Coordinates of all heavy atoms in Angstrom, one line a residue:
S1 N 13.0 132.0 -9.3 CA 12.3 132.6 -8.2 C 10.8 132.8 -8.6 O 10.5 133.1 -9.7 CB 12.9 133.9 -7.8 OG 12.1 134.6 -6.9
S2 N 9.9 132.7 -7.6 CA 8.5 132.9 -7.9 C 8.0 134.1 -7.2 O 6.8 134.3 -6.9 CB 7.7 131.7 -7.3 OG 7.9 131.6 -6.0
E3 N 8.9 135.1 -7.0 CA 8.5 136.4 -6.4 C 7.4 137.0 -7.2 O 7.4 137.1 -8.4 CB 9.7 137.3 -6.3 CG 9.4 138.6 -5.6 CD 10.6 139.5 -5.4 OE1 11.6 139.2 -6.0 OE2 10.5 140.4 -4.7
G4 N 6.3 137.4 -6.5 CA 5.2 138.0 -7.2 C 4.2 136.9 -7.7 O 3.1 137.3 -8.2
S5 N 4.4 135.7 -7.5 CA 3.5 134.6 -8.0 C 2.5 134.4 -6.9 O 2.6 134.7 -5.8 CB 4.2 133.4 -8.4 OG 4.8 132.7 -7.2
Y6 N 1.4 133.7 -7.3 CA 0.4 133.3 -6.4 C 0.3 131.8 -6.3 O -0.3 131.1 -7.1 CB -1.0 133.9 -6.9 CG -1.0 135.4 -6.8 CD1 -0.7 136.1 -8.0 CD2 -1.3 136.0 -5.7 CE1 -0.7 137.5 -8.0 CE2 -1.3 137.4 -5.6 CZ -1.0 138.1 -6.8 OH -1.0 139.5 -6.8
N7 N 1.0 131.3 -5.3 CA 1.1 129.8 -5.2 C -0.1 129.3 -4.3 O -0.6 130.1 -3.5 CB 2.4 129.4 -4.5 CG 3.6 129.7 -5.4 OD1 3.5 130.0 -6.5 ND2 4.8 129.6 -4.8
T8 N -0.4 128.1 -4.5 CA -1.5 127.5 -3.7 C -0.8 126.6 -2.7 O 0.2 125.9 -3.0 CB -2.4 126.6 -4.6 OG1 -3.0 127.4 -5.6 CG2 -3.4 125.9 -3.7
Y9 N -1.2 126.8 -1.4 CA -0.5 126.0 -0.3 C -1.5 124.9 0.1 O -2.7 125.1 0.1 CB -0.2 126.9 0.8 CG 0.8 128.0 0.4 CD1 0.3 129.3 0.0 CD2 2.1 127.8 0.4 CE1 1.2 130.3 -0.4 CE2 3.0 128.7 0.0 CZ 2.6 130.0 -0.4 OH 3.4 130.9 -0.8
N10 N -0.9 123.8 0.6 CA -1.6 122.7 1.2 C -1.4 122.7 2.7 O -0.2 122.8 3.1 CB -1.2 121.4 0.6 CG -1.4 121.3 -0.9 OD1 -2.4 121.7 -1.4 ND2 -0.4 120.8 -1.7
Y11 N -2.4 122.6 3.5 CA -2.3 122.7 4.9 C -2.7 121.3 5.5 O -3.7 120.8 5.1 CB -3.1 123.8 5.5 CG -2.7 125.2 5.0 CD1 -3.3 125.7 3.9 CD2 -1.7 125.9 5.7 CE1 -3.0 127.0 3.5 CE2 -1.4 127.1 5.3 CZ -2.0 127.7 4.2 OH -1.6 128.9 3.7
T12 N -1.9 120.9 6.5 CA -2.3 119.7 7.3 C -2.2 120.0 8.7 O -1.3 120.7 9.1 CB -1.5 118.4 6.9 OG1 -0.1 118.8 7.1 CG2 -1.7 118.0 5.4
W13 N -3.0 119.4 9.5 CA -3.1 119.6 11.0 C -2.9 118.3 11.7 O -3.3 117.2 11.3 CB -4.4 120.2 11.4 CG -4.7 121.5 10.8 CD1 -5.1 121.8 9.6 CD2 -4.5 122.8 11.5 NE1 -5.2 123.2 9.4 CE2 -4.9 123.8 10.6 CE3 -4.1 123.1 12.8 CZ2 -4.8 125.1 10.9 CZ3 -4.1 124.4 13.1 CH2 -4.4 125.4 12.2
S14 N -2.2 118.4 12.9 CA -2.0 117.3 13.8 C -2.0 117.7 15.2 O -1.9 118.9 15.5 CB -0.7 116.5 13.4 OG 0.4 117.3 13.7
A15 N -2.2 116.8 16.1 CA -2.1 117.1 17.6 C -1.4 116.0 18.3 O -1.5 114.8 17.9 CB -3.5 117.3 18.1
T16 N -0.7 116.4 19.4 CA 0.0 115.5 20.2 C -0.4 115.8 21.7 O -0.2 116.9 22.1 CB 1.5 115.6 20.1 OG1 1.9 115.4 18.7 CG2 2.2 114.6 20.9
P17 N -1.0 114.9 22.4 CA -1.5 113.6 21.9 C -2.7 113.8 21.0 O -3.4 114.7 21.2 CB -1.8 112.8 23.2 CG -2.2 113.9 24.2 CD -1.3 115.1 23.8
S18 N -3.0 112.8 20.2 CA -4.1 112.9 19.3 C -5.4 112.5 20.0 O -6.5 113.1 19.7 CB -3.9 112.1 18.0 OG -3.8 110.7 18.4
A19 N -5.4 111.6 20.9 CA -6.6 111.2 21.6 C -7.1 112.3 22.5 O -6.4 112.9 23.3 CB -6.3 109.9 22.5
G20 N -8.4 112.7 22.3 CA -9.0 113.7 23.1 C -8.8 115.1 22.5 O -9.3 116.1 23.0
S21 N -8.0 115.3 21.5 CA -7.6 116.6 21.0 C -8.7 117.2 20.2 O -8.6 118.4 19.9 CB -6.3 116.4 20.1 OG -6.7 115.8 18.9
G22 N -9.7 116.5 19.7 CA -10.7 117.0 18.9 C -10.4 116.9 17.4 O -11.3 117.1 16.6
L23 N -9.2 116.5 17.0 CA -8.9 116.2 15.6 C -9.1 114.7 15.4 O -8.7 113.9 16.2 CB -7.4 116.6 15.3 CG -7.0 118.0 15.5 CD1 -5.5 118.2 15.1 CD2 -7.9 119.0 14.7
V24 N -9.7 114.5 14.2 CA -10.0 113.1 13.9 C -9.0 112.5 12.9 O -9.1 111.3 12.6 CB -11.5 112.9 13.4 CG1 -12.5 113.2 14.5 CG2 -11.7 113.8 12.2
G25 N -8.2 113.3 12.4 CA -7.2 112.9 11.4 C -7.6 113.3 10.0 O -8.7 113.3 9.6
G26 N -6.6 113.8 9.3 CA -6.8 114.2 7.9 C -7.4 115.6 7.7 O -7.8 115.9 6.6
E27 N -7.3 116.4 8.8 CA -7.8 117.8 8.7 C -6.9 118.6 7.7 O -5.7 118.5 7.8 CB -7.9 118.5 10.0 CG -9.0 118.0 10.9 CD -8.7 116.8 11.7 OE1 -7.6 116.2 11.6 OE2 -9.6 116.3 12.4
T28 N -7.5 119.3 6.8 CA -6.8 120.2 5.9 C -7.4 121.5 5.8 O -8.5 121.7 6.3 CB -6.8 119.5 4.5 OG1 -8.1 119.4 4.0 CG2 -6.1 118.2 4.5
G29 N -6.7 122.5 5.3 CA -7.2 123.8 5.1 C -6.4 124.8 6.0 O -5.9 124.4 7.0
A30 N -6.4 126.1 5.6 CA -5.7 127.1 6.3 C -6.3 127.4 7.7 O -5.6 127.8 8.6 CB -5.6 128.4 5.5
S31 N -7.6 127.1 7.8 CA -8.3 127.4 9.0 C -9.3 126.2 9.3 O -10.1 125.9 8.4 CB -9.1 128.7 8.9 OG -9.8 129.0 10.1
I32 N -9.3 125.7 10.5 CA -10.2 124.6 10.8 C -10.8 124.9 12.2 O -10.3 125.7 13.0 CB -9.5 123.2 10.8 CG1 -8.4 123.1 11.9 CG2 -8.9 122.9 9.5 CD1 -7.9 121.7 12.2
G33 N -11.8 124.2 12.5 CA -12.4 124.3 13.9 C -12.4 122.9 14.5 O -12.5 121.9 13.8
F34 N -12.2 122.9 15.8 CA -12.2 121.6 16.5 C -12.5 121.9 18.0 O -12.4 123.0 18.5 CB -10.9 120.9 16.4 CG -9.7 121.7 16.8 CD1 -9.3 121.6 18.1 CD2 -9.1 122.5 16.0 CE1 -8.2 122.4 18.6 CE2 -8.0 123.3 16.4 CZ -7.6 123.2 17.7
T35 N -13.0 120.9 18.7 CA -13.2 121.0 20.1 C -12.6 119.8 20.9 O -13.1 118.6 20.6 CB -14.8 121.0 20.4 OG1 -15.3 122.1 19.7 CG2 -15.1 121.2 21.9
P36 N -11.6 120.0 21.7 CA -11.1 118.9 22.5 C -12.1 118.3 23.4 O -13.0 119.0 23.9 CB -10.0 119.6 23.3 CG -9.6 120.8 22.6 CD -10.9 121.3 21.9
D37 N -12.1 117.0 23.5 CA -13.1 116.3 24.3 C -12.6 115.7 25.6 O -13.3 114.9 26.2 CB -13.9 115.3 23.5 CG -13.1 114.3 22.9 OD1 -11.9 114.1 23.3 OD2 -13.6 113.6 22.0
A38 N -11.4 116.0 26.0 CA -10.8 115.5 27.2 C -9.8 116.6 27.7 O -9.1 117.2 27.0 CB -10.1 114.2 27.0
P39 N -9.7 116.7 29.1 CA -8.8 117.6 29.7 C -7.4 117.2 29.3 O -7.1 116.0 29.2 CB -9.0 117.5 31.2 CG -10.3 116.8 31.3 CD -10.6 116.0 30.1
G40 N -6.4 118.1 29.3 CA -5.0 117.7 29.0 C -4.3 118.9 28.3 O -4.9 119.9 28.1
T41 N -3.1 118.7 28.0 CA -2.2 119.6 27.3 C -2.0 119.1 25.9 O -1.5 117.9 25.8 CB -0.9 119.9 28.1 OG1 -1.2 120.4 29.4 CG2 0.0 120.9 27.3
Y42 N -2.3 119.8 24.9 CA -2.2 119.4 23.5 C -1.3 120.3 22.8 O -1.4 121.6 23.0 CB -3.6 119.4 22.9 CG -4.6 118.5 23.5 CD1 -5.5 119.0 24.5 CD2 -4.6 117.1 23.3 CE1 -6.4 118.2 25.1 CE2 -5.5 116.3 23.9 CZ -6.4 116.8 24.8 OH -7.3 116.0 25.5
V43 N -0.5 119.8 21.9 CA 0.3 120.6 21.0 C -0.2 120.4 19.6 O -0.2 119.3 19.1 CB 1.8 120.2 21.1 CG1 2.6 121.0 20.1 CG2 2.4 120.4 22.5
Y44 N -0.8 121.5 19.1 CA -1.4 121.4 17.7 C -0.3 122.0 16.7 O 0.3 123.0 17.0 CB -2.6 122.3 17.6 CG -3.8 121.7 18.5 CD1 -3.9 122.1 19.8 CD2 -4.6 120.8 17.9 CE1 -4.9 121.6 20.6 CE2 -5.6 120.2 18.7 CZ -5.8 120.6 20.0 OH -6.8 120.1 20.8
T45 N -0.2 121.3 15.6 CA 0.8 121.7 14.6 C 0.1 121.8 13.2 O -0.7 120.9 12.8 CB 1.9 120.6 14.4 OG1 2.5 120.4 15.7 CG2 2.9 121.0 13.4
V46 N 0.3 122.9 12.6 CA -0.2 123.1 11.2 C 1.1 123.2 10.3 O 2.1 123.8 10.7 CB -1.0 124.4 11.0 CG1 -0.3 125.6 11.4 CG2 -1.6 124.4 9.6
T47 N 1.0 122.4 9.2 CA 2.2 122.4 8.3 C 1.6 122.9 6.9 O 0.6 122.4 6.4 CB 2.7 121.0 8.1 OG1 3.2 120.6 9.4 CG2 3.9 121.0 7.1
A48 N 2.3 123.9 6.4 CA 2.0 124.4 5.1 C 3.0 123.9 4.1 O 4.2 124.0 4.3 CB 2.0 126.0 5.1
N49 N 2.5 123.4 3.0 CA 3.3 122.9 1.9 C 3.1 123.7 0.6 O 1.9 123.9 0.2 CB 3.0 121.4 1.7 CG 3.7 120.9 0.4 OD1 3.1 120.9 -0.7 ND2 5.0 120.5 0.5
D50 N 4.2 124.1 0.0 CA 4.1 124.8 -1.3 C 4.6 123.8 -2.3 O 5.8 123.5 -2.5 CB 5.0 126.0 -1.3 CG 5.1 126.8 -2.6 OD1 4.6 126.2 -3.6 OD2 5.6 127.9 -2.6
P51 N 3.7 123.2 -3.1 CA 4.1 122.1 -4.0 C 4.9 122.7 -5.2 O 5.6 121.9 -5.8 CB 2.8 121.5 -4.4 CG 1.7 122.5 -4.2 CD 2.2 123.3 -3.0
V52 N 4.7 123.9 -5.5 CA 5.4 124.5 -6.7 C 6.9 124.7 -6.3 O 7.8 124.3 -7.1 CB 4.8 125.9 -7.1 CG1 5.6 126.6 -8.1 CG2 3.4 125.7 -7.5
E53 N 7.2 125.2 -5.1 CA 8.6 125.5 -4.7 C 9.1 124.3 -3.9 O 10.3 124.3 -3.5 CB 8.6 126.7 -3.8 CG 8.2 128.0 -4.6 CD 9.2 128.3 -5.7 OE1 10.4 128.0 -5.5 OE2 8.8 128.9 -6.7
N54 N 8.3 123.3 -3.6 CA 8.6 122.1 -2.9 C 9.3 122.4 -1.5 O 10.4 122.0 -1.2 CB 9.6 121.2 -3.7 CG 9.7 119.8 -3.1 OD1 8.8 119.3 -2.5 ND2 10.8 119.2 -3.3
C55 N 8.5 123.2 -0.8 CA 9.0 123.6 0.6 C 7.9 123.5 1.6 O 6.7 123.6 1.2 CB 9.7 125.0 0.6 SG 8.6 126.3 0.1
N56 N 8.2 123.3 2.8 CA 7.3 123.2 4.0 C 7.7 124.1 5.1 O 8.9 124.4 5.3 CB 7.3 121.8 4.5 CG 6.8 120.7 3.5 OD1 5.7 120.9 3.0 ND2 7.6 119.7 3.3
T57 N 6.7 124.5 5.9 CA 7.0 125.2 7.1 C 5.9 124.8 8.1 O 4.7 124.5 7.7 CB 7.0 126.7 6.9 OG1 7.5 127.3 8.2 CG2 5.7 127.3 6.5
S58 N 6.2 124.8 9.4 CA 5.2 124.4 10.4 C 5.2 125.4 11.5 O 6.2 126.1 11.8 CB 5.6 123.0 11.0 OG 5.6 122.0 10.0
S59 N 4.1 125.4 12.2 CA 3.9 126.2 13.4 C 3.1 125.4 14.4 O 2.2 124.7 14.1 CB 3.2 127.5 13.0 OG 3.1 128.4 14.1
N60 N 3.5 125.6 15.7 CA 2.9 124.9 16.8 C 2.2 125.9 17.8 O 2.7 127.0 17.9 CB 3.9 124.1 17.6 CG 4.6 123.1 16.8 OD1 4.1 122.4 16.0 ND2 5.9 123.0 17.0
I61 N 1.2 125.4 18.4 CA 0.6 126.1 19.6 C 0.2 125.0 20.6 O -0.2 124.0 20.3 CB -0.7 126.9 19.1 CG1 -1.1 127.7 20.3 CG2 -1.7 126.0 18.6 CD1 -2.1 128.8 19.9
T62 N 0.4 125.4 21.9 CA 0.1 124.5 23.0 C -1.2 125.0 23.6 O -1.3 126.2 23.9 CB 1.2 124.5 24.0 OG1 2.4 124.0 23.4 CG2 0.9 123.6 25.2
V63 N -2.1 124.1 23.8 CA -3.4 124.5 24.4 C -3.6 123.6 25.6 O -3.5 122.4 25.6 CB -4.6 124.2 23.4 CG1 -5.9 124.4 24.0 CG2 -4.4 125.1 22.2
V64 N -4.0 124.2 26.8 CA -4.3 123.5 28.0 C -5.8 123.5 28.2 O -6.4 124.5 28.2 CB -3.6 124.1 29.2 CG1 -4.0 123.4 30.5 CG2 -2.1 124.1 29.0
V65 N -6.4 122.3 28.2 CA -7.8 122.1 28.4 C -8.0 121.6 29.8 O -7.5 120.6 30.2 CB -8.4 121.1 27.4 CG1 -9.9 120.9 27.6 CG2 -8.1 121.5 26.0
K66 N -8.8 122.4 30.6 CA -9.1 122.0 32.0 C -10.5 121.4 32.1 O -11.4 121.7 31.3 CB -9.0 123.2 32.9 CG -7.6 123.8 32.9 CD -7.5 124.9 33.9 CE -6.1 125.4 33.9 NZ -5.8 126.3 35.1
E67 N -10.6 120.5 33.1 CA -11.9 119.9 33.3 C -12.9 120.9 33.8 O -12.6 121.8 34.6 CB -11.8 118.7 34.3 CG -13.0 117.9 34.4 CD -12.7 116.6 35.1 OE1 -11.5 116.2 35.3 OE2 -13.7 115.9 35.5
L68 N -14.2 120.8 33.4 CA -15.2 121.8 33.8 C -15.5 121.5 35.3 O -15.6 120.3 35.7 CB -16.5 121.6 33.0 CG -16.4 122.1 31.6 CD1 -17.7 121.8 30.9 CD2 -16.1 123.6 31.6
D69 N -15.7 122.5 36.1 CA -16.2 122.4 37.4 C -17.7 122.2 37.4 O -18.4 123.2 37.1 CB -15.8 123.6 38.3 CG -16.2 123.5 39.7 OD1 -16.6 122.4 40.1 OD2 -16.0 124.4 40.4
R70 N -18.2 121.0 37.7 CA -19.6 120.8 37.5 C -20.3 120.6 38.9 O -21.2 119.8 39.1 CB -19.8 119.5 36.8 CG -19.3 119.6 35.3 CD -19.5 118.3 34.6 NE -18.9 118.5 33.3 CZ -19.5 118.2 32.2 NH1 -20.7 117.7 32.2 NH2 -18.9 118.3 31.0
K71 N -19.9 121.5 39.8 CA -20.5 121.5 41.2 C -21.9 122.0 41.1 O -22.2 123.0 40.4 CB -19.7 122.4 42.1 CG -18.4 121.9 42.4 CD -17.7 122.8 43.4 CE -16.2 122.4 43.6 NZ -15.5 123.4 44.4
S72 N -22.8 121.3 41.7 CA -24.2 121.8 41.7 C -24.4 122.8 42.8 O -23.7 122.8 43.8 CB -25.2 120.6 41.9 OG -24.9 120.0 43.2
T73 N -25.3 123.8 42.6 CA -25.5 124.8 43.5 C -26.8 124.7 44.3 O -27.7 124.0 43.8 CB -25.5 126.2 42.8 OG1 -26.4 126.2 41.8 CG2 -24.1 126.5 42.3

């Protein structure tokens, strides 16, 4: 057991669909920034890997991006 140890985790990010999601591929790190460039519903997934214990866990979030209302006044 590694209870009390300080493991280093590797994080990877993905989006479905990837087109328009703002992710370009290969994003890593516990926290990233991105801006979707097309309206739609995206499911973003972050996966954390503990290489010492050889285990993974993932979490998803769904983001709905709406088109801007560009009516002139």
Side-chain angles (χ1 to χ4, degrees):
S1 169
S2 62
E3 185 174 9
S5 68
Y6 295 94
N7 295 347
T8 300
Y9 299 96
N10 301 316
Y11 298 91
T12 56
W13 293 80
S14 62
T16 304
S18 60
S21 70
L23 297 183
V24 294
E27 286 83 3
T28 61
S31 178
I32 65 168
F34 57 90
T35 303
D37 58 14
T41 300
Y42 301 95
V43 178
Y44 294 91
T45 303
V46 59
T47 300
N49 169 265
D50 178 348
V52 174
E53 297 293 330
N54 195 27
C55 61
N56 295 305
T57 189
S58 296
S59 185
N60 300 320
I61 186 167
T62 300
V63 175
V64 177
V65 178
K66 296 187 177 192
E67 190 164 347
L68 291 176
D69 182 6
R70 297 179 185 229
K71 294 179 185 174
S72 59
T73 56

